[in-house]
Amino acid sequence: MLACLCALILALQLVGASFHDHDLSEQLSDCVSCQIASHSTADLPAASPQLLALFLVIAFVFARLPRPAPVVLRRYLIPSRQAPPRH
């Protein structure tokens, strides 16, 4: 039910955004969609390509490192003995 509600809200938002149209001479502060769009992450400074490349190399190396297999004690693999109940 929650997933259907979220999908419906997303669909309504997409339909509303597709019909968003007004003149450029109008005040953008009057439009709720324009106010939300103007507060995007575009004002954040861009990361330098060297820093991004270094991060990607480190992430790749860490992803390729072998991970030790978890140790499973043998007693957990063998089920405990249990006889059928007596009547």
Side-chain angles (χ1 to χ4, degrees), residues 23-51:
D23 293 331
L24 293 177
S25 62
E26 291 183 16
Q27 289 288 339
L28 297 180
S29 62
D30 295 339
C31 181
V32 176
S33 297
C34 291
Q35 284 183 356
I36 292 173
S38 68
H39 294 296
S40 65
T41 58
D43 57 346
L44 293 176
S48 67
Q50 295 85 6
L51 185 63

